Each structure stands twice: as C-alpha cells, then as structure tokens.
Amino acid sequence: MLQVFYWLIAVELIGLAAFPILWLLLPKFSDRGYGQSKTLGILLLAYVAWILSVTGALPSSEAVLIGLLLTLAAVSSWLVYRNRDEMLAFVRRRWRLLAFIEIAFLVVFLGWALFRAYDPAIDHTEQPMDFAFLNASIESNFGHPEDPWLRGESISYYYFGYWMMGVISELSGVESSVSYNLSLALIPALAVAGIVSLVVSAVRADGGRFRLAAVSGLFAAGMLVFAANLAGVLEFMRANSIGSQSLYDWIAIDGLDGPAETAAEGWTPSETWWWFKATRVINTLEDGEWIDHTIEEFPFFSFMLGDLHPHVMAIPFALAFAAFAFHWLRDDLDLRDVVGVRAVRLWGTVLAMALSLGGLAFTNMWDLPTGAAVLLGATALRAYRGNESAPRFWFRWNAFGPPLLVIALAVLLYLPYYFIFTASVNGIGAVNTTTRYMHMFVFWGPLLAVVIPFVFASFWQTVMGADWRRAALLSLAVAFLPFVVWMVVRLQHADVEGSSSGRLLHIMPLALLVGMSIWASIHEASGRNSRKGRAFALMAAALGLLLIMGVELLFVDDYFGGENERMNTVFKLYYQAWLLLSVSAGFALYYWLDTRSSLVGRARLLSTLWAVAAVSLILCGLYYTAAAPVDKAAHFRASPSLDGLGYVHSRSPAEWQAIQFVRENIPAGEGILESVGEWGDAGLISRSTGVATVFNWPGHQLQWRGMGWVAGGRGDDIARIYSSLDAAEAKALLDEYEVGYVYIGPRERSAHPGPGLDKFAEIADIVFQQDEVTIYEVR
C-alpha cells in the first residue's frame, strides 16, 4: 500500500505549501485557514497547470507540476521567513486545533481508503464515465482534455474536479486505477478538515471555548460525511416484518412495498442493493405510475457508491469558498484600502475568492449560484450597519464592490472553459408536483431536527429594534421570492397543475422558517454586540431551507423531462442544502451546549425534548451508515486492494494486458477504435487509458452536449469499419477520424460477427494478441 503513502505525501506537501498564503489572507480564522489549505492548494496548483496548458504556454506534465509546486513552496517559504515570529507564536498558541484538524483528516482518509480497498472495482453505475474523464485529464498535455468517447472533440462537461485529482495522481506517481479510489477517500477527508475549520472558527468568533468548538466542528463533520436519512431504518423494519401493510402504503416509497413475509436472518436486509433506494425517496406514484421521479443523494451514499461525480468532488471546494465568505463577513476590508498591507490583503482576498468560486463552478456548475448567494448573503449581513436603536441597510459600493468583482473575476479567470462549454439547459420551469411532507421527513429528519429548533430559539430571542419593519420586509421578501417567481413562470405555462393557494399553503412552513432564519441572522449580525458566527450559521440554514423549498416551485429545464422534469434539480440542490444545513447543525449543537445550563423550567424541558428527538433521529439514520457499507463491500470478504481494474485482471487477463499495452505503447494524441455501447464494459479500453475512441456512450454524449447535438453518423461508421469486407473503405474511415489503432475484443466480436474482422490484416499490423483480444496498428 505504498501508493497510499505517496498520495498522502503529495497532498500534505501541497497543503503545507499553500498554508502560509492562507495564513496571510484569513487572519480572523481560528486556524488561519489550515483546514482549507490542502483543498485550496490543490485548486491553486491545478488552476495554474490548467491555464498554462489551455493557453499553450506549458504542457501539463509531471515535470511542470513539480516545478509549480516548488514555485509555490518558494513563495510560501518567503512568507514564512517574513512572518516567522508571528507564525511561530500562532503555532504555539493553536497547535491543539491544528493537530485536531489534521488527525480528523487522516482518520477519515484512511477509513474511507480502507473501505474502498474492499470495494475497488470501477465497473458499475457511472464510474466508467468518471474514470474516462480522470484518465483523459491525466493524459492531456496541451489544451482541453480530449473526450475519450468522442475522438477529436474536447470534453463538454465540468471536468475540473477530474483535472485536480489528475494533478495529484501525476505528482504522486500513483496509477489512475488506484488514484480513482484514493480520490474517493480524499474528498470526504478534505470536507471534514474544511467544515471543522469553518465551524470551529464560527464558534470561536462568538466566544465559544475550544472544547465546545471542537465538539461542534466534529458534529458538523459527522452530519456532513457520515449521517444518512431515515430510509435505512425503514428498510430494516421491512426486512424484519415490522409494521403493517397500511403503514407502508401510507409511506409510499418506491420499493418499500410492505413487510417481508419472512424476517431477515442477519442484521442487514438481504435484498441486493437495498441501500440504493435511500436516494429515491421522492418517487411519487399514482395508479402504479411514476409522476415525480427524483434523485436525492447525500454525501455518505455518494462516498459509498463510488461515483467520482462533479457534485461529490465539489464538496470540499464549496466549504473552502464558504470559509472565505464567513471571513469576509467578519473582516473590515473595503475598497478604501488602496495602499499598504491592507490593500495587499484586500486584493489577495478578492483574487483568492474569485479563484475559489470559479473553480467551484468549473468543478460543478450547479454550485455557482449557491456559492454566489453565500457570498452576497455574507456581504449583505456585513453591510447592515448602524447603532442598536436604528440599524440601516443599503447598497454601498465599498461593501458590495469586492464581492461583485469576485463574481466577475470568477468567470474571467476560467474563460477558456466557458468558450467550449455547452449547457443543455432551456430555462426555468414551474414544478407540477409537490413533495409529501412524509417524504421530506424521511430524507431531512435527522438534519432538520437539529437545525429547526436552533432557528426557532434564535428567532425567539431577537428583539424589535427601530428598524424592525425593514428587517421583516427583507426577510419575508427573500422567503417568498421563489413563490412569486413560480407564479410568474406558471402564467406562461397553462399545463402547470395545482392552485396558487394550495401551493402557497404547501411551502408556507418552509417559507416561514426561511424568514425567521434571515430575521435572526440580521439581528445577530447587526448591533454593537454582533455575533457573526451565529449570524453565518443562521444564513446557512436560510439558504439550505430555501433550496429545499425552491424545488417545490421551480426546476431547471434540462435534458431530463416528463415525469423526470425536476429530477436533476432536486438531485443537485438537495445535495447543496445538505452541506449548508450540516454547517448550521454544527453551530446549533454549540448553541444548545452553551445555553442549556442557563435554562430553567419549561425552557429546559423543551431543550431536553429537542435533544432526545434529534439524537433519536440521528441514531436511526446511523443504522444506514453501519449497515449499507457492509452490503456494498460484500461483507468485507474479499482480499483488500485499491486497484480499480483488478476485476478486469480476474475476469479477463487478456483485456487487462491489452489495457497495459495501450497505456505503455500507444503515443499521446493517438486514437483507438472500439465498438459502441452504453453502460457496463462499453468503452473499456478508452476509459481505462484516456486514449480516445471514435464514439461511445451515445446517451451520455447527448446529456453532455445537449439535445440538439448529433453524432454525425459516427455509430454507423464504426459498424462499417468493423463489418465491411472492403479494407479500403475501412482504411478511409479510420483516416477520416485519425485513428491509428483498432481494438478487437469480446464485445467487438459479439457486436460485429462475421468475416469483416479478417480484413484488418490487409491494412494493419498486429501489435498485441492474447486469447480473444487483438490490437492492430493501422499502416
């Protein structure tokens, strides 16, 4: 397992090289940005390598990456030398916090790496797509990575997450089949370090003691990375014949049809992939037909499933940007700082935030609006000024100018990507269906049981100042704005079902919670004794609740349609809401621990009931956390290995040897022909090596490139190349697509049987042959 060590060394070196810069930019953070240093160091290094590559200045090679890391280390060494006394004093003062964050990072990384060692195969769901993009990013030297499944075209997807993981792969020297799994261990570890840093700093900003802050940060990390919804405990009940048929009919979750006829023998359900249904809770059925098919992933499920998707890779980078936003809320820099150290820190912060926000969008475009909302929300709270008797809020360029520059620069810095990106989005639509409250409870119960009482208690403790009307109007305006937009969009679509009053009644509880969160957040951010940590936690709660409410009203009209109209919208926005509510939940625990001793009588009883309810729901959710990985990893019976292609070696040594041959012998920029398919083993050689094939996974190409995109007859041309008896015709088509190698394996022989495969001997030479596998090099 030396590769784990090499990977860790590379990540730690990047983090150490980036920390002195963050130490300078984040002086109001308790750890001065140490928890974000690995994440932002990876981002900075990957961005510089990417911009040099796409502009043609330098190739994205191992030597260049090492040079960039050494350059970053040199700059940081100079900063350390310049500030050595202050930095040394900081380390002596905060060593416990730094050690706490580092230990949390290592424990989570090694824990998930161990799990991945028992479930390493890159062979199911959309893992092949992720592996293909990772390999393409590693193999790319100049320009955008070539789409491994569309020869001659660049990837039309937000691929920066794959690029960043590829940078670590190259620096560490770890093969992609192993680095794929190490990436899946690294992401939750970075997320834990990031959220602990953020929550601890928020608690300490409000005067919380270190132990309380550490416990709160760890709790937030647990809710983000290890908590699950309540579908798992329902699966346990069903498997053990607990509950009546009418109960399951009322719950109405697809797949939970009723109590099992025979109780399960073990402590986990025996049904294959029973845990997958926890992400399909809101599958509303009507007369046995889906009318609202949605996806509701949560981080623990994603890490366990093993899809290296953009929304998963974005988690630590979203937290890093949230950290910048919180620091901006606490900072007093503005555009009047034009000289001296404050000017350096202002423009350094603006540039770092722009790099972070732009990288977040490039990693997962769905995170861009939410990230911008977090920054603008923090800025609005920061701009709320005045004395306690008459707080005032207005647009001030000195306050809002830097964040607006951040958003503009976030686009400008990544402009080469936007020139090639094609979004399959047709606008915003009004949602027809609504989510049953029961389904909301099943999915959100553990998190909301922590957050909602915190919102209520914070709102209850506010007082009405002279400006209460303005604050109330602002709170209600934000809370009900999505409903107003729904009304406007609904007028343009006569087919939208449901009455306006019914929809308003449906979203009213969430809208009121949003309004209370914003009101309390404004109250905590303003005044002489402002508590910025609590204000930020309440703002995070407001945005999280807004996202949950928003998908009850509006959806992004993309590739999916029909009963799937809001499938992708619920998927992506629920995921972001989980992150925001986890941050808020961490602070909520601190609030409960800090205030409980002062409560008496009825207030103390309510506090106790809150704690009992929240702990009960969290423990119910943790059944899934304990049971699902056991089933996913086949009860940990296999020999541990992190090689994601080990299954190919076991199943077909010839195909595995062919992959090694292609990796080692086919020159960069060459192409290889494979048969067309979707899912499963389709595109096995191209996805495992990064060497592009003419065309593959056609359904996904439509998702990435939009419904108006056409393949231009590539699929038919591939069939002709394999099946035609005319060697000259095949040679002409291979030349047209600039493909110098032809792969013939089990899938090709099955898809294109007959004498057509014999003609390749006339136009090409055999360079690899073993069992059923042959690779030709075209003359």
Side-chain angles (χ1 to χ4, degrees), residues 197-212:
S197 167
L198 176 57
V199 172
V200 166
S201 296
V203 171
R204 297 285 283 169
D206 286 10
R209 300 188 307 276
F210 172 73
R211 288 186 180 179
L212 279 181

Side-chain angles (χ1 to χ4, degrees), residues 697-743:
W697 283 51
H700 281 71
Q701 292 289 352
L702 283 175
Q703 291 182 33
W704 303 328
R705 299 177 185 278
M707 290 299 294
W709 177 83
V710 291
R714 288 183 181 235
D716 294 336
D717 287 345
I718 292 170
R720 287 166 62 196
I721 294 172
Y722 278 115
S723 301
S724 174
L725 300 178
D726 187 344
E729 179 188 30
K731 176 67 164 59
L733 287 170
L734 288 168
D735 289 345
E736 180 182 337
Y737 290 109
E738 299 182 359
V739 171
Y741 293 83
V742 176
Y743 177 80

Side-chain angles (χ1 to χ4, degrees), residues 211-261:
R211 288 186 180 179
L212 279 181
V215 170
S216 301
L218 210 56
F219 178 72
M223 295 304 291
L224 174 64
V225 173
F226 294 108
N229 63 34
L230 300 177
V233 78
L234 293 175
E235 290 284 355
F236 174 81
M237 292 171 56
R238 183 193 64 81
N240 288 276
S241 304
I242 301 172
S244 63
Q245 182 63 49
S246 58
L247 172 65
Y248 291 94
D249 291 341
W250 176 70
I251 294 174
I253 293 177
D254 187 30
L256 283 171
D257 302 325
E261 295 181 4

Side-chain angles (χ1 to χ4, degrees), residues 161-413:
Y162 306 103
W163 182 276
M164 288 189 283
M165 296 303 108
V167 164
I168 307 173
S169 302
E170 292 189 78
L171 280 173
S172 62
V174 175
E175 289 186 2
S176 62
S177 58
V178 174
S179 71
Y180 180 96
N181 284 308
L182 290 178
S183 298
L184 286 166
L186 176 64
I187 291 161
L190 292 175
V192 163
I195 199 169
V196 168
S197 167
L198 176 57
V199 172
V200 166
S201 296
V203 171
R204 297 285 283 169
D206 286 10
R209 300 188 307 276
F210 172 73
R211 288 186 180 179
L212 279 181
V215 170
S216 301
L218 210 56
F219 178 72
M223 295 304 291
L224 174 64
V225 173
F226 294 108
N229 63 34
L230 300 177
V233 78
L234 293 175
E235 290 284 355
F236 174 81
M237 292 171 56
R238 183 193 64 81
N240 288 276
S241 304
I242 301 172
S244 63
Q245 182 63 49
S246 58
L247 172 65
Y248 291 94
D249 291 341
W250 176 70
I251 294 174
I253 293 177
D254 187 30
L256 283 171
D257 302 325
E261 295 181 4
T262 305
E265 295 182 2
W267 65 284
T268 65
S270 57
E271 183 182 349
T272 303
W273 276 35
W274 59 268
W275 41 268
F276 195 83
K277 288 178 286 184
T279 63
R280 302 299 189 273
V281 173
I282 310 172
N283 279 5
T284 307
L285 295 172
E286 190 174 279
D287 298 327
E289 298 291 332
W290 277 341
I291 61 170
D292 188 20
H293 177 49
T294 66
I295 299 173
E296 314 91 44
E297 278 194 26
F298 48 94
F300 179 80
F301 168 86
S302 303
F303 303 143
M304 180 185 67
L305 180 67
D307 282 5
L308 193 63
H309 275 4
H311 67 275
V312 179
M313 292 184 284
I315 295 173
F317 301 96
L319 286 166
F321 184 72
F324 272 122
F326 174 57
H327 192 272
W328 182 250
L329 169 61
R330 295 189 63 200
D331 215 339
D332 60 352
L333 295 174
D334 60 34
L335 290 179
R336 289 171 292 189
D337 296 311
V338 293
V339 294
V341 175
R342 286 176 61 85
V344 172
R345 201 160 64 79
L346 170 65
W347 295 110
T349 299
V350 167
L351 183 60
M353 285 198 291
L355 191 69
S356 179
L357 181 60
L360 179 60
F362 194 178
T363 303
N364 182 41
M365 191 63 69
W366 286 82
D367 278 283
L368 176 59
T370 304
V374 170
L375 178 58
L376 293 175
T379 304
L381 293 176
R382 186 176 185 261
Y384 202 95
R385 290 287 185 264
N387 57 47
E388 290 183 349
S389 62
R392 293 178 297 167
F393 173 80
W394 67 94
F395 182 91
R396 296 184 301 126
W397 176 244
N398 284 335
F400 281 87
L404 293 176
L405 287 173
V406 164
I407 295 171
L409 278 174
V411 175
L412 186 63
L413 287 171

